[in-house]
Amino acid sequence: QSVLTQPPSVSGAPGQRVTISCTGNTSNIGAGFDVHWYVQLPGTAPKLLIYGNNNRPSGVPDRFSGSKSATSASLAITGLQAEDEAYYYCQSYDSSLVGSVFGGGTKLTVL
Amino acid sequence: QVHLQESGPGLMKPSETLSLTCSVSGYSIRSGYYWGWMRQSPGKGLQWIGSIYRSGGTLYNPSLESRVTISVDMSKNQISLSLRSVTAADTAVYYCTRHRSWGAGDYFDPWGQGSLVTVSS
């Protein structure tokens, strides 16, 4: 249903590395538009986590990194911590829809 | 530090017009940036509604454009959202956000805490 496709859930044990994928098409990610990532804790607003594919805003730990290739992007989290348990959303621009579009979100569970 | 605070009606009836206001503190809208509205519902996830510049220039999501008006009041440092003829499908948490221009696609930072709007008869 969402323009960008994310897995509904991922999980990992503390200290492990997890990745969250974001798949688009030739109108958005594949057209060269950048991908941005947001994190959302239950009951709170989304917060910017990564912008411009792989840039971290001030205050975001370097355990979080982003990458982009062809029509997809990925968010990697290393050294998983309990406080990383949240929903993660990717966002890009779509030239066909003429506006910003989001992924459906991925729930990260820290085991 | 930029802070955004939404205010709205909470509960509405179908066919009414939704009006939301976002008060911006810590930054003057007059200084620049686009300022936008998002919404989040269980059925449709996160959706960009539209954005406005200090000049009054607007960008709207084509799927909502026929029902949406976004305006700016620089004297109050506020932006407003009007959504006409609401239905249950418009039930969502509505967020105000700063729309940041980026070379190959914009992003949104920061976000307000959100205002829950429920449409029910």
Side-chain angles (χ1 to χ4, degrees):
Chain A
Q1 194 168 2
S2 296
V3 176
L4 305 178
T5 301
Q6 298 180 235
S9 64
V10 298
S11 62
Q16 284 190 333
R17 178 181 186 269
V18 296
T19 61
I20 298 173
S21 62
C22 174
T23 303
N25 57 40
T26 54
S27 295
N28 40 67
I29 301 175
F33 294 106
D34 284 346
V35 178
H36 318 288
W37 292 89
Y38 303 84
V39 57
Q40 185 177 33
L41 296 169
T44 69
K47 177 184 172 185
L48 182 68
L49 186 66
I50 296 285
Y51 66 95
N53 303 322
N54 56 11
N55 298 282
R56 291 185 309 276
S58 174
V60 174
D62 59 7
R63 300 187 297 106
F64 296 88
S65 63
S67 63
K68 174 191 157 185
S69 177
T71 58
S72 66
S74 288
L75 173 70
I77 309 172
T78 59
L80 207 56
Q81 300 179 3
E83 56 261 37
D84 298 333
E85 191 162 285
Y87 286 87
Y88 293 82
Y89 295 89
C90 61
Q91 175 245 318
S92 186
Y93 181 86
D94 192 289
S95 57
S96 292
L97 299 174
V98 194
S100 293
V101 292
F102 289 86
T106 299
K107 178 176 172 53
L108 168 62
T109 300
V110 180
L111 302 171
Chain B
Q1 186 176 359
V2 181
H3 182 72
L4 308 171
Q5 179 70 56
E6 306 88 347
S7 58
L11 182 62
M12 303 182 61
K13 295 187 185 305
S15 81
E16 291 182 335
T17 295
L18 167 63
S19 294
L20 286 165
T21 298
C22 172
S23 297
V24 181
S25 58
Y27 189 89
S28 172
I29 292 176
R30 194 182 305 273
S31 297
Y33 290 114
Y34 272 89
W35 302 83
W37 289 96
M38 300 285 189
R39 68 182 184 179
Q40 184 174 28
S41 62
K44 282 198 168 185
L46 280 164
Q47 185 180 35
W48 170 70
I49 299 171
S51 303
I52 189 166
Y53 194 59
R54 60 183 176 180
S55 62
T58 51
L59 303 168
Y60 293 130
N61 186 322
S63 70
L64 296 168
E65 186 168 12
S66 64
R67 297 194 292 133
V68 170
T69 301
I70 297 176
S71 58
V72 60
D73 186 336
M74 285 190 282
S75 67
K76 295 182 179 178
N77 217 38
Q78 291 179 338
I79 65 168
S80 297
L81 169 69
S82 174
L83 180 64
R84 296 174 288 279
S85 303
V86 297
T87 69
D90 295 310
T91 294
V93 177
Y94 286 75
Y95 294 101
C96 174
T97 179
R98 183 169 61 178
H99 183 148
R100 302 291 299 269
S101 294
W102 181 254
D106 303 343
Y107 60 92
F108 305 96
D109 177 62
W111 298 52
Q113 66 181 31
S115 178
L116 174 62
V117 175
T118 303
V119 181
S120 175
S121 55

